[in-house]
Amino acid sequence: MTDVDDDGLDAAFAALVEEFVETGLPPWHSLAVDAARRLEDDLFGDGGGPEMTTVREFAVDGLGGAIPVRAYRPTARQQRDAGVDGDPGVLVFAHGGVFVVGTLDSADDVCRELAARTGRVVLSVDYRLAPEHPFPAAVDDVFAVLEWAGAYADAFGADTGRVGVAGTSAGGGIAAATALRAGHAGVAVDVQVLLYPMLSAESALDGRNSPGEGRGGGDATDGLRASYAEHEDAALLSTADVAWGWEHYLRSPVDAHNPFAVPLRAEDDLLADAAPAVVATAGVDVLRDEAAAYADALADADVPVTHAHSPTLAHGFCSVVDDVDVAADALDDVADAVREHAATEHAS
């Protein structure tokens, strides 16, 4: 049985959070955008993760100009260990950062882990950030790379018929929106991998439920899902941090009604065309309940879904797999689910 602290957090993860708290860093929402980006670079720009066969950088044309992309090709052994027979598939990846911060470097370790564990080529997208580039810029950029991958990813020895989309936190929300857009547009996606995704703008709407209210996922408290109250002041991501990100990302309250901005707003007919999904949630996370609600909504629309819930983990667990065994196990479960969904999709 895993040792946990008084908040139900895995003890090894709790020790890392305590170290983070002791540095005395200000919360994201208290900072100017430029200061938040400098801090994020300092904290998460050191890299790490498994060695790859190749790591290449290039750019793809998009609506807003050239989109920087970093491609990670796993080793032959990693592909074998992941059960890949033949050319590997692709995951187009969107990093986290509440739509405001984040770089290719800050997501480098997570991309390496995903490539190694899934056996897929990972294309990490340096999408445009808010507030300079609010919605729909980020979704436009990731969708452009998704379309590119379906046509040209064989340049990396990948299978252009097995292209998925993935993301962490706000990037998970962008990945979900990209999967919705792809389904609506008839662009092939074999799997969407949503890792503790940010899917509902309710925290930024003066305490009101998002327009996606009526979706389940925890009892509401003052218009917010329960996980927002339970973990309101969480060190790694607070309710106020999430609201700060949405306030920068949405051009106006009208965007909160758009499912390509706020995926939890999607109706069943739009959800039904989305790719099979792996939704990973953490018990100690403000985003827990909205991600669970989205998994349920996809299932209700007859989309194949694996909801991989880790009750003793917190937001951002993909970044601590080297130090937290439970996090490593959780990411392995995600990789297993990706393989299972992809195999089912291509057998049908």
Side-chain angles (χ1 to χ4, degrees):
M1 183 175 179
T2 302
D3 291 333
V4 298
D5 71 357
D6 292 341
D7 295 322
L9 183 61
D10 173 82
F13 204 158
L16 294 177
V17 173
E18 183 62 26
E19 290 178 13
F20 182 81
V21 171
E22 289 177 352
T23 62
L25 297 170
W28 298 112
H29 67 270
S30 71
L31 297 173
V33 168
D34 286 347
R37 289 174 181 165
R38 289 194 298 272
L39 178 61
E40 200 266 354
D41 286 343
D42 290 341
L43 290 174
F44 303 113
D46 291 337
E51 291 295 321
M52 298 282 102
T53 293
T54 57
V55 179
R56 296 279 187 266
E57 294 191 5
F58 61 102
V60 169
D61 286 332
L63 294 176
I67 306 165
V69 180
R70 183 178 293 172
Y72 300 81
R73 183 182 172 105
T75 66
R77 179 171 182 174
Q78 289 164 346
Q79 292 177 60
R80 287 196 302 272
D81 290 347
V84 173
D85 183 17
D87 292 338
V90 180
L91 284 177
V92 176
F93 179 83
H95 63 74
V98 291
F99 306 114
V100 176
V101 303
T103 64
L104 296 178
D105 288 340
S106 64
D108 185 74
D109 57 339
V110 174
C111 291
R112 289 171 181 269
E113 293 289 354
L114 278 174
R117 292 166 193 259
T118 65
R120 290 192 172 215
V121 172
V122 172
L123 302 181
S124 183
V125 184
D126 195 11
Y127 59 84
R128 289 169 291 167
L129 298 174
E132 298 92 338
H133 304 285
F135 172 78
V139 179
D140 285 343
D141 288 353
V142 175
F143 187 76
V145 177
L146 181 75
E147 289 191 302
W148 182 93
Y152 301 111
D154 55 355
F156 297 101
D159 182 352
T160 57
R162 295 176 181 261
V163 178
V165 63
T168 53
S169 194
I174 293 166
T178 302
L180 290 174
R181 182 169 167 183
H184 182 68
V187 174
V189 175
D190 73 336
V191 67
Q192 53 177 315
V193 186
L194 314 180
L195 304 166
Y196 35 88
M198 187 168 155
L199 300 160
S200 171
E202 65 203 68
S203 63
L205 297 175
D206 298 326
R208 302 187 302 276
N209 271 338
S210 77
E213 63 183 325
R215 301 295 189 192
D219 296 329
T221 301
D222 294 330
L224 298 178
R225 293 169 213 277
S227 57
Y228 276 109
E230 291 173 24
H231 307 297
E232 178 178 10
D233 297 318
L236 300 179
L237 187 71
S238 70
T239 298
D241 294 335
V242 175
W244 181 75
W246 282 113
E247 288 160 2
H248 284 306
Y249 184 60
L250 301 179
R251 295 168 296 185
S252 77
V254 174
D255 281 340
H257 295 261
N258 188 329
F260 299 127
V262 181
L264 201 54
R265 180 67 178 93
E267 299 292 345
D268 286 352
D269 57 345
L270 183 60
L271 291 166
D273 291 329
V278 181
V279 182
T281 55
V284 187
D285 184 6
V286 293
L287 303 181
R288 178 196 68 209
D289 289 347
E290 66 198 61
Y294 195 67
D296 290 344
L298 287 165
D300 289 345
D302 294 326
V303 176
V305 179
T306 298
H307 179 193
H309 181 59
S310 300
T312 65
L313 291 178
H315 191 81
F317 67 78
C318 292
S319 297
V320 298
V321 294
D322 285 342
D323 301 302
V324 180
D325 290 343
V326 179
D329 292 342
L331 195 53
D332 281 339
D333 289 344
V334 167
D336 290 343
V338 169
R339 285 192 291 275
E340 290 168 6
H341 281 299
T344 301
E345 180 77 359
H346 290 279
S348 61

